[in-house]
Amino acid sequence: MLVVVVACGMLSAGGLAAADAEDTEPIVAQVNDPRAYGHRVGDVLTRTIVLDVPGRLTLDEASIPTPGRIGHSFELRRVTQDWRPTLRGRRYTLGFDYQVFRAPNEPVVLDLPSFTLRFDGQPRGEELRIDFAPVGLAPLAPVEAPLRAGLGTLRPDTPALRVDTLPERRRLGLYAALALLPLAHLAMVYLGWPWWRRRQRPFARARRQLEGMLATAPTDEWLDAWRTLHAALDATARRVLHAGAVDRFVAEQPAYAAVRGEMLQFFERSERFFFGGQAPLEADRLWLRDFCRRCFDIERGRA
């Protein structure tokens, strides 16, 4: 700790100036500097100055150093100040936090900067110079590694530790399976089920059967196809449908009004084939396939 007494005028922290006979109360400064050794890059050095100032003087705050970079070695990070009244005037306490930004390759001694504090008063103001403070900086590591065995050359990387990931992979597989269950349910509800229902509609089933038949297929197969189309009409009407019920069916389901005439022809031809003993000709077979396709299109449009 360095104690400085100022009588008047300009005084260095290293000594005392000549006192003016008219000034009866001097400025007393106590400077607490950080230790002068053992500092490294990144360290914060705190410097505290306590000033006992007579009542006739007031510290000019504009003369206090402000935070900022100081050269390439230090940065003044924070400045604190406080004061309280005393019997002889005021006691100021100033704190300065310096951070080290220099990383030397070998030990070096640097100086915290000096500065001058000004005091306003009557009959005149005074100044106090705070001298530099030496601090020793040490390197983080020596420039060259020691030549001892195992330290002088670049060492190979340490092999990575082998970890058994089988439990984690099994757990991830279980989580993935659990996550797929709701996705599979949604796919079934919104994709699979509607697709399956469309394929199970009456005219859709009849169309699959007719599309796979040749016009020259045996008569029994075509009569069976005719029965399939009868079943599709009955399932669509939700009752047994015949020629006399076509108008009622069309009234209930107007979409089929476009094939009303063809439905009447269908029942007329059915009567000839099943009760009149007449076999369906090739033209009848092609007509049945076309009639089924038109009913299928109407069924699909109502979906």
PDB file of all heavy atoms in Angstrom, residues 274-295:
ATOM      1  N   PHE A 274     -82.686 -66.317 -69.010  1.00  0.00           N
ATOM      2  CA  PHE A 274     -82.906 -67.254 -67.912  1.00  0.00           C
ATOM      3  C   PHE A 274     -84.248 -68.000 -68.017  1.00  0.00           C
ATOM      4  O   PHE A 274     -84.381 -69.102 -67.476  1.00  0.00           O
ATOM      5  CB  PHE A 274     -82.832 -66.520 -66.572  1.00  0.00           C
ATOM      6  CG  PHE A 274     -81.429 -66.064 -66.217  1.00  0.00           C
ATOM      7  CD1 PHE A 274     -81.084 -64.730 -66.320  1.00  0.00           C
ATOM      8  CD2 PHE A 274     -80.466 -66.971 -65.815  1.00  0.00           C
ATOM      9  CE1 PHE A 274     -79.807 -64.306 -66.009  1.00  0.00           C
ATOM     10  CE2 PHE A 274     -79.186 -66.547 -65.506  1.00  0.00           C
ATOM     11  CZ  PHE A 274     -78.844 -65.205 -65.605  1.00  0.00           C
ATOM     12  N   PHE A 275     -85.221 -67.347 -68.670  1.00  0.00           N
ATOM     13  CA  PHE A 275     -86.547 -67.991 -68.736  1.00  0.00           C
ATOM     14  C   PHE A 275     -86.962 -68.338 -70.158  1.00  0.00           C
ATOM     15  O   PHE A 275     -87.858 -69.155 -70.366  1.00  0.00           O
ATOM     16  CB  PHE A 275     -87.607 -67.077 -68.104  1.00  0.00           C
ATOM     17  CG  PHE A 275     -87.320 -66.762 -66.661  1.00  0.00           C
ATOM     18  CD1 PHE A 275     -86.812 -65.521 -66.294  1.00  0.00           C
ATOM     19  CD2 PHE A 275     -87.537 -67.716 -65.672  1.00  0.00           C
ATOM     20  CE1 PHE A 275     -86.540 -65.235 -64.981  1.00  0.00           C
ATOM     21  CE2 PHE A 275     -87.271 -67.417 -64.350  1.00  0.00           C
ATOM     22  CZ  PHE A 275     -86.760 -66.179 -63.990  1.00  0.00           C
ATOM     23  N   GLY A 276     -86.340 -67.733 -71.154  1.00  0.00           N
ATOM     24  CA  GLY A 276     -86.711 -68.016 -72.543  1.00  0.00           C
ATOM     25  C   GLY A 276     -85.808 -69.029 -73.200  1.00  0.00           C
ATOM     26  O   GLY A 276     -86.029 -69.403 -74.362  1.00  0.00           O
ATOM     27  N   GLY A 277     -84.753 -69.420 -72.529  1.00  0.00           N
ATOM     28  CA  GLY A 277     -83.856 -70.419 -73.085  1.00  0.00           C
ATOM     29  C   GLY A 277     -82.921 -69.895 -74.146  1.00  0.00           C
ATOM     30  O   GLY A 277     -82.261 -70.682 -74.824  1.00  0.00           O
ATOM     31  N   GLN A 278     -82.853 -68.607 -74.372  1.00  0.00           N
ATOM     32  CA  GLN A 278     -81.977 -68.026 -75.389  1.00  0.00           C
ATOM     33  C   GLN A 278     -80.605 -67.766 -74.774  1.00  0.00           C
ATOM     34  O   GLN A 278     -80.490 -67.234 -73.679  1.00  0.00           O
ATOM     35  CB  GLN A 278     -82.595 -66.732 -75.929  1.00  0.00           C
ATOM     36  CG  GLN A 278     -81.753 -66.076 -77.012  1.00  0.00           C
ATOM     37  CD  GLN A 278     -82.394 -64.790 -77.531  1.00  0.00           C
ATOM     38  OE1 GLN A 278     -83.570 -64.522 -77.244  1.00  0.00           O
ATOM     39  NE2 GLN A 278     -81.645 -64.029 -78.276  1.00  0.00           N
ATOM     40  N   ALA A 279     -79.548 -68.105 -75.485  1.00  0.00           N
ATOM     41  CA  ALA A 279     -78.172 -67.874 -75.009  1.00  0.00           C
ATOM     42  C   ALA A 279     -77.729 -66.466 -75.393  1.00  0.00           C
ATOM     43  O   ALA A 279     -78.077 -65.972 -76.471  1.00  0.00           O
ATOM     44  CB  ALA A 279     -77.235 -68.917 -75.604  1.00  0.00           C
ATOM     45  N   PRO A 280     -76.969 -65.794 -74.533  1.00  0.00           N
ATOM     46  CA  PRO A 280     -76.483 -64.444 -74.872  1.00  0.00           C
ATOM     47  C   PRO A 280     -75.496 -64.492 -76.024  1.00  0.00           C
ATOM     48  O   PRO A 280     -74.566 -65.301 -76.025  1.00  0.00           O
ATOM     49  CB  PRO A 280     -75.829 -63.976 -73.574  1.00  0.00           C
ATOM     50  CG  PRO A 280     -75.497 -65.223 -72.833  1.00  0.00           C
ATOM     51  CD  PRO A 280     -76.533 -66.219 -73.192  1.00  0.00           C
ATOM     52  N   LEU A 281     -75.749 -63.639 -77.007  1.00  0.00           N
ATOM     53  CA  LEU A 281     -74.843 -63.538 -78.139  1.00  0.00           C
ATOM     54  C   LEU A 281     -73.625 -62.688 -77.760  1.00  0.00           C
ATOM     55  O   LEU A 281     -73.563 -62.078 -76.686  1.00  0.00           O
ATOM     56  CB  LEU A 281     -75.578 -62.940 -79.328  1.00  0.00           C
ATOM     57  CG  LEU A 281     -76.836 -63.702 -79.791  1.00  0.00           C
ATOM     58  CD1 LEU A 281     -77.524 -62.943 -80.924  1.00  0.00           C
ATOM     59  CD2 LEU A 281     -76.477 -65.117 -80.219  1.00  0.00           C
ATOM     60  N   GLU A 282     -72.679 -62.613 -78.686  1.00  0.00           N
ATOM     61  CA  GLU A 282     -71.467 -61.819 -78.406  1.00  0.00           C
ATOM     62  C   GLU A 282     -71.821 -60.351 -78.211  1.00  0.00           C
ATOM     63  O   GLU A 282     -71.236 -59.665 -77.363  1.00  0.00           O
ATOM     64  CB  GLU A 282     -70.460 -61.986 -79.546  1.00  0.00           C
ATOM     65  CG  GLU A 282     -69.152 -61.238 -79.295  1.00  0.00           C
ATOM     66  CD  GLU A 282     -68.140 -61.505 -80.392  1.00  0.00           C
ATOM     67  OE1 GLU A 282     -68.387 -62.370 -81.261  1.00  0.00           O
ATOM     68  OE2 GLU A 282     -67.083 -60.841 -80.378  1.00  0.00           O
ATOM     69  N   ALA A 283     -72.808 -59.871 -78.983  1.00  0.00           N
ATOM     70  CA  ALA A 283     -73.215 -58.469 -78.825  1.00  0.00           C
ATOM     71  C   ALA A 283     -73.811 -58.245 -77.444  1.00  0.00           C
ATOM     72  O   ALA A 283     -73.610 -57.195 -76.822  1.00  0.00           O
ATOM     73  CB  ALA A 283     -74.211 -58.093 -79.915  1.00  0.00           C
ATOM     74  N   ASP A 284     -74.583 -59.222 -76.934  1.00  0.00           N
ATOM     75  CA  ASP A 284     -75.157 -59.103 -75.596  1.00  0.00           C
ATOM     76  C   ASP A 284     -74.049 -59.060 -74.539  1.00  0.00           C
ATOM     77  O   ASP A 284     -74.138 -58.324 -73.555  1.00  0.00           O
ATOM     78  CB  ASP A 284     -76.085 -60.285 -75.318  1.00  0.00           C
ATOM     79  CG  ASP A 284     -77.277 -60.320 -76.274  1.00  0.00           C
ATOM     80  OD1 ASP A 284     -77.809 -59.224 -76.561  1.00  0.00           O
ATOM     81  OD2 ASP A 284     -77.644 -61.413 -76.714  1.00  0.00           O
ATOM     82  N   ARG A 285     -73.029 -59.859 -74.768  1.00  0.00           N
ATOM     83  CA  ARG A 285     -71.933 -59.890 -73.803  1.00  0.00           C
ATOM     84  C   ARG A 285     -71.171 -58.558 -73.766  1.00  0.00           C
ATOM     85  O   ARG A 285     -70.841 -58.057 -72.693  1.00  0.00           O
ATOM     86  CB  ARG A 285     -70.985 -61.033 -74.147  1.00  0.00           C
ATOM     87  CG  ARG A 285     -71.699 -62.399 -74.151  1.00  0.00           C
ATOM     88  CD  ARG A 285     -70.787 -63.512 -74.602  1.00  0.00           C
ATOM     89  NE  ARG A 285     -71.497 -64.795 -74.614  1.00  0.00           N
ATOM     90  CZ  ARG A 285     -70.925 -65.962 -74.872  1.00  0.00           C
ATOM     91  NH1 ARG A 285     -69.620 -66.011 -75.153  1.00  0.00           N
ATOM     92  NH2 ARG A 285     -71.642 -67.070 -74.859  1.00  0.00           N
ATOM     93  N   LEU A 286     -70.908 -57.999 -74.933  1.00  0.00           N
ATOM     94  CA  LEU A 286     -70.229 -56.698 -74.983  1.00  0.00           C
ATOM     95  C   LEU A 286     -71.110 -55.609 -74.375  1.00  0.00           C
ATOM     96  O   LEU A 286     -70.627 -54.693 -73.698  1.00  0.00           O
ATOM     97  CB  LEU A 286     -69.867 -56.354 -76.433  1.00  0.00           C
ATOM     98  CG  LEU A 286     -68.851 -57.295 -77.095  1.00  0.00           C
ATOM     99  CD1 LEU A 286     -68.634 -56.883 -78.550  1.00  0.00           C
ATOM    100  CD2 LEU A 286     -67.543 -57.298 -76.331  1.00  0.00           C
ATOM    101  N   TRP A 287     -72.415 -55.701 -74.628  1.00  0.00           N
ATOM    102  CA  TRP A 287     -73.335 -54.707 -74.051  1.00  0.00           C
ATOM    103  C   TRP A 287     -73.329 -54.811 -72.528  1.00  0.00           C
ATOM    104  O   TRP A 287     -73.345 -53.788 -71.822  1.00  0.00           O
ATOM    105  CB  TRP A 287     -74.742 -54.963 -74.581  1.00  0.00           C
ATOM    106  CG  TRP A 287     -75.769 -54.026 -73.988  1.00  0.00           C
ATOM    107  CD1 TRP A 287     -76.137 -52.807 -74.457  1.00  0.00           C
ATOM    108  CD2 TRP A 287     -76.526 -54.257 -72.797  1.00  0.00           C
ATOM    109  NE1 TRP A 287     -77.089 -52.232 -73.642  1.00  0.00           N
ATOM    110  CE2 TRP A 287     -77.341 -53.111 -72.605  1.00  0.00           C
ATOM    111  CE3 TRP A 287     -76.610 -55.293 -71.896  1.00  0.00           C
ATOM    112  CZ2 TRP A 287     -78.216 -52.985 -71.532  1.00  0.00           C
ATOM    113  CZ3 TRP A 287     -77.485 -55.165 -70.825  1.00  0.00           C
ATOM    114  CH2 TRP A 287     -78.272 -54.036 -70.655  1.00  0.00           C
ATOM    115  N   LEU A 288     -73.328 -56.022 -71.971  1.00  0.00           N
ATOM    116  CA  LEU A 288     -73.324 -56.201 -70.518  1.00  0.00           C
ATOM    117  C   LEU A 288     -72.068 -55.596 -69.903  1.00  0.00           C
ATOM    118  O   LEU A 288     -72.131 -54.935 -68.857  1.00  0.00           O
ATOM    119  CB  LEU A 288     -73.412 -57.693 -70.176  1.00  0.00           C
ATOM    120  CG  LEU A 288     -73.445 -58.019 -68.684  1.00  0.00           C
ATOM    121  CD1 LEU A 288     -74.732 -57.500 -68.066  1.00  0.00           C
ATOM    122  CD2 LEU A 288     -73.301 -59.522 -68.447  1.00  0.00           C
ATOM    123  N   ARG A 289     -70.937 -55.788 -70.558  1.00  0.00           N
ATOM    124  CA  ARG A 289     -69.692 -55.219 -70.031  1.00  0.00           C
ATOM    125  C   ARG A 289     -69.749 -53.696 -70.025  1.00  0.00           C
ATOM    126  O   ARG A 289     -69.339 -53.046 -69.067  1.00  0.00           O
ATOM    127  CB  ARG A 289     -68.523 -55.717 -70.864  1.00  0.00           C
ATOM    128  CG  ARG A 289     -67.165 -55.219 -70.396  1.00  0.00           C
ATOM    129  CD  ARG A 289     -66.071 -55.767 -71.288  1.00  0.00           C
ATOM    130  NE  ARG A 289     -65.982 -57.222 -71.163  1.00  0.00           N
ATOM    131  CZ  ARG A 289     -65.214 -57.986 -71.942  1.00  0.00           C
ATOM    132  NH1 ARG A 289     -64.503 -57.433 -72.922  1.00  0.00           N
ATOM    133  NH2 ARG A 289     -65.172 -59.294 -71.764  1.00  0.00           N
ATOM    134  N   ASP A 290     -70.314 -53.123 -71.100  1.00  0.00           N
ATOM    135  CA  ASP A 290     -70.411 -51.668 -71.171  1.00  0.00           C
ATOM    136  C   ASP A 290     -71.397 -51.139 -70.129  1.00  0.00           C
ATOM    137  O   ASP A 290     -71.153 -50.113 -69.489  1.00  0.00           O
ATOM    138  CB  ASP A 290     -70.845 -51.254 -72.578  1.00  0.00           C
ATOM    139  CG  ASP A 290     -70.886 -49.750 -72.741  1.00  0.00           C
ATOM    140  OD1 ASP A 290     -69.811 -49.113 -72.648  1.00  0.00           O
ATOM    141  OD2 ASP A 290     -71.996 -49.205 -72.942  1.00  0.00           O
ATOM    142  N   PHE A 291     -72.522 -51.843 -69.933  1.00  0.00           N
ATOM    143  CA  PHE A 291     -73.510 -51.427 -68.938  1.00  0.00           C
ATOM    144  C   PHE A 291     -72.907 -51.486 -67.525  1.00  0.00           C
ATOM    145  O   PHE A 291     -73.104 -50.578 -66.704  1.00  0.00           O
ATOM    146  CB  PHE A 291     -74.741 -52.332 -69.029  1.00  0.00           C
ATOM    147  CG  PHE A 291     -75.747 -52.111 -67.945  1.00  0.00           C
ATOM    148  CD1 PHE A 291     -76.370 -50.878 -67.780  1.00  0.00           C
ATOM    149  CD2 PHE A 291     -76.075 -53.145 -67.060  1.00  0.00           C
ATOM    150  CE1 PHE A 291     -77.301 -50.684 -66.762  1.00  0.00           C
ATOM    151  CE2 PHE A 291     -76.990 -52.947 -66.041  1.00  0.00           C
ATOM    152  CZ  PHE A 291     -77.607 -51.719 -65.883  1.00  0.00           C
ATOM    153  N   CYS A 292     -72.155 -52.500 -67.240  1.00  0.00           N
ATOM    154  CA  CYS A 292     -71.511 -52.621 -65.924  1.00  0.00           C
ATOM    155  C   CYS A 292     -70.508 -51.490 -65.709  1.00  0.00           C
ATOM    156  O   CYS A 292     -70.420 -50.926 -64.618  1.00  0.00           O
ATOM    157  CB  CYS A 292     -70.833 -53.980 -65.814  1.00  0.00           C
ATOM    158  SG  CYS A 292     -69.998 -54.232 -64.226  1.00  0.00           S
ATOM    159  N   ARG A 293     -69.762 -51.132 -66.763  1.00  0.00           N
ATOM    160  CA  ARG A 293     -68.773 -50.060 -66.634  1.00  0.00           C
ATOM    161  C   ARG A 293     -69.444 -48.723 -66.340  1.00  0.00           C
ATOM    162  O   ARG A 293     -68.976 -47.944 -65.519  1.00  0.00           O
ATOM    163  CB  ARG A 293     -67.928 -49.982 -67.904  1.00  0.00           C
ATOM    164  CG  ARG A 293     -66.793 -48.946 -67.804  1.00  0.00           C
ATOM    165  CD  ARG A 293     -66.000 -48.857 -69.094  1.00  0.00           C
ATOM    166  NE  ARG A 293     -65.350 -50.131 -69.402  1.00  0.00           N
ATOM    167  CZ  ARG A 293     -65.682 -50.912 -70.420  1.00  0.00           C
ATOM    168  NH1 ARG A 293     -66.670 -50.539 -71.236  1.00  0.00           N
ATOM    169  NH2 ARG A 293     -65.060 -52.042 -70.638  1.00  0.00           N
ATOM    170  N   ARG A 294     -70.607 -48.483 -66.986  1.00  0.00           N
ATOM    171  CA  ARG A 294     -71.316 -47.223 -66.750  1.00  0.00           C
ATOM    172  C   ARG A 294     -71.867 -47.170 -65.325  1.00  0.00           C
ATOM    173  O   ARG A 294     -71.803 -46.139 -64.659  1.00  0.00           O
ATOM    174  CB  ARG A 294     -72.455 -47.058 -67.766  1.00  0.00           C
ATOM    175  CG  ARG A 294     -71.959 -46.877 -69.207  1.00  0.00           C
ATOM    176  CD  ARG A 294     -73.084 -46.406 -70.108  1.00  0.00           C
ATOM    177  NE  ARG A 294     -73.591 -45.098 -69.666  1.00  0.00           N
ATOM    178  CZ  ARG A 294     -74.672 -44.503 -70.184  1.00  0.00           C
ATOM    179  NH1 ARG A 294     -75.370 -45.136 -71.118  1.00  0.00           N
ATOM    180  NH2 ARG A 294     -75.069 -43.335 -69.754  1.00  0.00           N
ATOM    181  N   CYS A 295     -72.406 -48.301 -64.837  1.00  0.00           N
ATOM    182  CA  CYS A 295     -72.891 -48.330 -63.450  1.00  0.00           C
ATOM    183  C   CYS A 295     -71.736 -48.129 -62.470  1.00  0.00           C
ATOM    184  O   CYS A 295     -71.872 -47.470 -61.428  1.00  0.00           O
ATOM    185  CB  CYS A 295     -73.581 -49.648 -63.180  1.00  0.00           C
ATOM    186  SG  CYS A 295     -75.150 -49.838 -64.068  1.00  0.00           S
TER     187      CYS A 295
END
